């Protein structure tokens, strides 16, 4: 599930939390340092959901999971 959330995201784009997943999973990713929380009240009003963006560690994990393993048999 965490990788599914990371694969939805692009670097430098802020996503509302309700589009990504449940709050428990987002807070777990935030404590791991893979995503960063931003107060989006300036974007959508004072009662808005928090927004999240990828951190450099989240980008590295996303790229590493997308790589294909090398074919070692020749």
């Amino acid at each position: 599930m965490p990788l599914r959330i990371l694969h939805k995201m692009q670097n430098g784009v802020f996503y509302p939390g309700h589009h990504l997943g449940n709050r428990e999973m987002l807070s777990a990713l935030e404590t791991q340092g893979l995503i960063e929380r931003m107060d989006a009240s300036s974007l959508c009003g004072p009662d808005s959901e928090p927004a999240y963006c990828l951190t450099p560690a989240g980008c590295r994990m996303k790229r590493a999971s997308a790589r294909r393993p090398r074919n070692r048999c020749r």
Side-chain angles (χ1 to χ4, degrees):
M1 180 72 174
L3 288 177
R4 190 179 315 159
I5 291 174
L6 294 179
H7 284 293
K8 289 181 185 178
M9 302 176 78
Q10 293 180 2
N11 192 15
V13 180
F14 292 96
Y15 294 90
H18 65 276
H19 286 292
L20 296 173
N22 61 20
R23 291 181 184 180
E24 292 83 18
M25 186 62 64
L26 292 173
S27 65
L29 289 173
E30 186 180 3
T31 56
Q32 292 174 7
L34 300 176
I35 61 174
E36 184 177 24
R37 184 177 174 167
M38 175 192 147
D39 179 24
S41 62
S42 63
L43 301 175
C44 305
D47 297 329
S48 66
E49 287 280 324
Y52 295 90
C53 69
L54 279 174
T55 62
C59 290
R60 285 191 299 272
M61 184 174 182
K62 180 180 173 180
R63 280 195 308 265
S65 68
R67 291 184 186 144
R68 295 182 182 169
R70 293 183 188 172
N71 188 0
R72 297 186 186 254
C73 300
R74 288 188 179 212

